[in-house]
Amino acid sequence: MDITGLVEITSEEELREVVPAPNQTVVDKVRKDLHELDKEWLAQSQFCLVATSAADGSCDVSPKGDPAGFTKVLDDNTIAIPERAGNRRIDGFLNIVSNPQVGLIYLIPGRGETLRINGRARIIKEAPFFDDMIVKGNRPQLALLVEIDEIFHHCSKAFLRSQIWKPETWNPEAMPSRAQIAKALDRRDADLAELEKYYGTSYEEGIYNVKY
């Protein structure tokens, strides 16, 4: 691909020449405290993205999901997100050890708007509210506690452009199966049939049985 002739923006002033400052309504919608409607959104949300950055600037965005209401509201400025065992990379948690700043985006399937939260995170290994986070017998071993600095609702333009919630636009078969991707990239020596079995129905059935 030819990338010659690029015109790069390197300052805020140059950027604002292209994108003017937002209107006051957009600026003023940012809050520090959870509104009852924010709490209701969290109670209905099944999925969020957690963005982190280490002290050296390296970044990660990790998906988090559980039944609706998985994020616990502790008070008007604090929420907690259970951590379920996975592949043990814990990239986001390792970032938080050196830099507590996090950005969260909460989704509700079918809705174009999102709830955005920016704040400071702490990694908790035990708390009384862990008992409220049990799903299918799985009590989290860790949780992310976030003290909110900013919270606001974001418009639906990206979802409208992408038409992501319209089933007629979905085409999951456009890509090879997870097993085929794993075989090509991660587990080249593994048997494809075994991988297909591993990523089959038992994979979903066992996701709450995993421990670190």
Side-chain angles (χ1 to χ4, degrees):
M1 181 175 65
D2 183 7
I3 59 171
T4 59
L6 299 179
V7 180
E8 184 178 356
I9 290 175
T10 59
S11 70
E12 182 177 348
E13 290 75 15
E14 289 179 293
L15 185 56
R16 283 302 181 193
E17 288 177 4
V18 179
V19 185
N23 63 47
Q24 199 59 42
T25 302
V26 173
V27 174
D28 292 342
K29 74 178 181 178
V30 178
R31 297 167 280 107
K32 288 183 175 292
D33 299 329
L34 287 162
H35 186 278
E36 288 305 313
L37 287 170
D38 302 326
K39 296 175 185 179
E40 193 172 338
W41 190 279
L42 293 173
Q44 297 300 324
S45 180
Q46 304 152 269
F47 183 85
C48 77
L49 298 167
V50 181
T52 59
S53 176
D56 64 2
S58 56
C59 298
D60 177 73
V61 178
S62 295
K64 305 295 179 185
D66 255 333
F70 71 100
T71 294
K72 184 171 181 62
V73 175
L74 300 178
D75 59 42
D76 287 347
N77 305 99
T78 315
I79 60 174
I81 304 167
E83 173 70 5
R84 308 294 176 187
N87 59 15
R88 303 181 184 176
R89 287 187 56 96
I90 57 170
D91 298 288
F93 277 22
L94 291 172
N95 286 347
I96 289 166
V97 169
S98 63
N99 177 10
Q101 299 300 131
V102 296
L104 314 176
I105 294 183
Y106 280 91
L107 287 77
I108 295 178
R111 290 292 293 261
E113 316 95 283
T114 57
L115 181 66
R116 291 176 57 171
I117 296 176
N118 298 316
R120 290 155 289 117
R122 289 186 282 163
I123 302 167
I124 309 299
K125 68 176 182 179
E126 184 55 73
F129 58 77
F130 277 31
D131 289 337
D132 300 327
M133 295 177 164
I134 295 173
V135 176
K136 296 185 178 181
N138 182 283
R139 189 177 189 271
Q141 297 171 267
L142 297 170
L144 197 64
L145 189 146
V146 179
E147 297 172 353
I148 297 170
D149 291 328
E150 296 181 325
I151 182 168
F152 57 96
H153 288 260
H154 193 95
C155 72
S156 60
K157 291 185 180 68
F159 290 83
L160 293 172
R161 292 180 184 124
S162 65
Q163 300 186 328
I164 192 171
W165 297 133
K166 293 188 176 182
E168 61 269 26
T169 70
W170 300 351
N171 187 17
E173 288 77 22
M175 287 294 296
S177 69
R178 175 69 190 106
Q180 291 171 310
I181 292 174
K183 172 71 174 175
L185 302 178
D186 312 325
R187 305 184 182 187
R188 296 181 179 87
D189 297 330
D191 179 74
L192 180 58
E194 288 297 315
L195 288 174
E196 294 284 7
K197 181 180 178 181
Y198 174 76
Y199 288 112
T201 56
S202 60
Y203 186 83
E204 180 177 356
E205 292 168 354
I207 56 175
Y208 285 104
N209 298 328
V210 181
K211 298 287 185 181
Y212 280 123

